[in-house]
Amino acid sequence: MDDQTISVYDSSAEQIAALHKTLVPARVYQLINQFFVKNGVCADVGCGIGRDSSWLSEQGYSVTGIDASEGMLQQARGFYPNISFVRDSLPLLERQTDSFFVNVLCSAVIMHLTEDQIACAVVNLVRIAAVGGIIIVSFRGTNSKDRRENGKLYSAIEVDKLVSLFIQSETMLLHREIDYQEDRRVEWTNIVLKKLPLLAV
């Protein structure tokens, strides 16, 4: 993760938590309902304050919230003490076991990586997913010329290139869309992928 972005999340955790509690990613939840493997173990990569982890738990999923910001994790543990939260980060996800999670959610995170970290992040998101598992990635850009909003990095991500990286990492694209949020004037890209078994050599 971009160090400055983590620092912003750490230092502004309470303020960011107050904002995020008011935001509901309705379209992402619809995609989860449509594509996630029911009752499958979930990773919420970049869980922030744990809002989506809590929602997943309420839907009957066993979920682990993963975040790079200790400040955000403190908020998450305070809000949702019955959910497991761990500190780890993209692009490496070093503490996560290979092929463990049947469902992987990575919402509003990948744009905080530097451009040269994204390919590595794709490899590791796929690595932690079980064969036949589902990966949902959601991200947005920014109108800021310096690619930062309130100090947080928003890398420009070429969707075709990102999808290609996932396909090269043994996944199949199930769904791709642009979701424009009129009230916030924010354009989100959502992609849904399925991890394939390795081809025999």
Side-chain angles (χ1 to χ4, degrees):
M1 283 279 288
D2 171 66
D3 288 340
Q4 184 178 333
T5 301
I6 296 172
S7 178
V8 171
Y9 277 115
D10 280 338
S11 63
S12 306
E14 288 189 20
Q15 299 95 305
I16 294 171
L19 172 62
H20 286 190
K21 290 277 278 188
T22 69
L23 302 176
V24 177
R27 181 56 185 154
V28 170
Y29 291 171
Q30 290 173 350
L31 293 173
I32 288 171
N33 284 330
Q34 181 177 354
F35 289 103
F36 265 13
V37 178
K38 301 302 180 188
N39 302 316
V41 177
C42 294
D44 181 9
V45 179
C47 65
I49 64 165
R51 176 199 62 204
D52 299 342
S53 298
S54 175
W55 183 86
L56 284 163
S57 180
E58 290 170 357
Q59 310 311 305
Y61 293 99
S62 174
V63 57
T64 298
I66 302 164
D67 205 89
S69 165
E70 187 57 42
M72 297 299 279
L73 288 171
Q74 288 176 7
Q75 295 291 314
R77 292 177 183 126
F79 289 135
Y80 312 109
N82 295 324
I83 294 176
S84 173
F85 294 103
V86 298
R87 187 174 185 185
D88 202 353
S89 65
L90 287 170
L92 297 179
L93 295 173
E94 293 177 297
R95 299 180 61 189
Q96 309 311 308
T97 303
D98 293 3
S99 303
F100 180 76
F101 296 102
V102 177
N103 301 299
V104 177
L105 174 64
C106 183
S107 179
V109 183
I110 202 166
M111 69 272 195
H112 294 325
L113 299 173
T114 60
E115 188 174 341
D116 60 351
Q117 293 175 321
I118 290 175
C120 180
V122 166
V123 168
N124 285 296
L125 286 169
V126 176
R127 173 183 63 80
I128 70 171
V131 172
I134 300 298
I135 303 167
I136 294 179
V137 179
S138 181
F139 61 92
R140 71 173 178 89
T142 179
N143 293 320
S144 299
K145 291 181 180 179
D146 65 354
R147 311 303 307 177
R148 289 192 180 270
E149 287 183 21
N150 302 315
K152 293 178 288 186
L153 176 66
Y154 286 78
S155 288
I157 298 176
E158 296 180 36
V159 182
D160 287 342
K161 182 176 179 180
L162 181 65
V163 169
S164 178
L165 287 170
F166 271 107
I167 290 173
Q168 290 169 27
S169 296
E170 306 297 335
T171 68
M172 175 175 63
L173 181 67
L174 300 181
H175 181 76
R176 167 179 170 174
E177 68 178 25
I178 300 296
D179 178 31
Y180 185 74
Q181 294 183 321
E182 186 71 38
D183 56 337
R184 298 179 64 201
R185 297 184 180 179
V186 173
E187 184 177 275
W188 290 85
T189 298
N190 301 320
I191 59 174
V192 183
L193 308 117
K194 181 176 182 177
K195 183 173 177 178
L196 302 174
L198 290 174
L199 296 176
V201 178

